[in-house]
Amino acid sequence: MGTTQKRGLFAVLHASSVMESRVEARLADVGLSLAKLAALHRLAEAGESLPLGQLAERLSCVKSNVTQLVDRLEADGLVSRTSDPNDRRSRLAVLTDAGRKAYATGSDIQSQAERELFGVLTPDESDALHQLLAKLQA
Amino acid sequence: MGTTQKRGLFAVLHASSVMESRVEARLADVGLSLAKLAALHRLAEAGESLPLGQLAERLSCVKSNVTQLVDRLEADGLVSRTSDPNDRRSRLAVLTDAGRKAYATGSDIQSQAERELFGVLTPDESDALHQLLAKLQA
DNA sequence: GAAGATTGAAAAGTCAATCTTA
DNA sequence: TAAGATTGACTTTTCAATCTTC
């Protein structure tokens, strides 16, 4: 009985935070975070560039969040901002070469971490978990 | 198939964030957050006061975090800082009357939200969920 | 005026460095 | 020197207000 026994809401919140921390720690080794990796993922998926508003929508977050996230990615040299020829109000976030490389690396790290984390579950257990989580958000 | 289907890590992270947002929204109606409520909970549990370092340990977070959290709670009038008679290096966070009231209110809101969230699961499903989450953190 | 982006302020968290007391 | 707390810098997120362009 050495481990902390959590119930209800905190069981979910705590488990989630533990798993997130593990992945973040591995990503930090290459200067990435889940937030940065998600942005790189959306850009790669969209064919290397997106208007910031579109990026915000696909990341399910607010526009001001993306402004600052892209600031940090730009400082890291993984993304650059260019103007949209079609609409002068709009700014495009575009992947750099370093950004493409970082995305490949980060993506591998994430998959690897995910396999390690979920490897302890049988396929049936994994299915059951997803079913239960889906039910909780109904 | 209208809902976004998530797998692996993101299923857990997303479910957790959805549940957290729901509780945070209810707590915000009375000027609380989960972080603030957790601190009030630890203080009430400990008999109304704790050194900041102890509070940090019981909240599983870093001391500088508690310094700032107590700053905000103090600004809200829910906690006040007093000096520790035993050790002049130490500062005690102590619940105010308003703090005790806020804890009671917040605690009710949290229990209520938790019942709503987990009410969709049968006792067996709830047990299964906890078992699976425990396994993921092994 | 509405849409796109940015800025400023705040909450929540981390780390590294610092200051006071033991 | 160690321990307790704070401060400053940074990440991530949100909201409200602003600025430019449509």
Side-chain angles (χ1 to χ4, degrees), chain B residues 45 58 68 111 114 120 133:
Chain B
E45 177 184 64
R58 300 186 192 195
Q68 299 175 92
S111 305
E114 215 159 326
V120 302
L133 292 176

Side-chain angles (χ1 to χ4, degrees), chain B residues 37-115:
Chain B
L37 182 57
L40 297 180
H41 172 60
R42 293 310 180 176
L43 291 176
E45 177 184 64
E48 316 245 312
S49 93
L50 276 177
L52 296 209
Q54 284 290 312
L55 186 53
E57 205 167 307
R58 300 186 192 195
L59 292 172
S60 304
C61 71
V62 130
K63 279 177 298 181
S64 62
N65 190 3
V66 164
T67 294
Q68 299 175 92
L69 180 55
V70 170
D71 283 348
R72 296 189 295 269
L73 286 167
E74 208 169 18
D76 292 343
L78 305 182
V79 158
S80 69
R81 266 181 252 237
T82 64
S83 37
D84 188 336
N86 300 33
D87 187 340
R88 266 190 303 183
R89 292 171 301 180
S90 176
R91 307 278 294 158
L92 262 22
V94 34
L95 274 182
T96 63
D97 287 347
R100 270 181 290 275
K101 274 180 74 174
Y103 172 57
T105 308
S107 216
D108 285 350
I109 291 174
Q110 192 210 303
S111 305
Q112 171 65 23
E114 215 159 326
R115 272 193 301 274

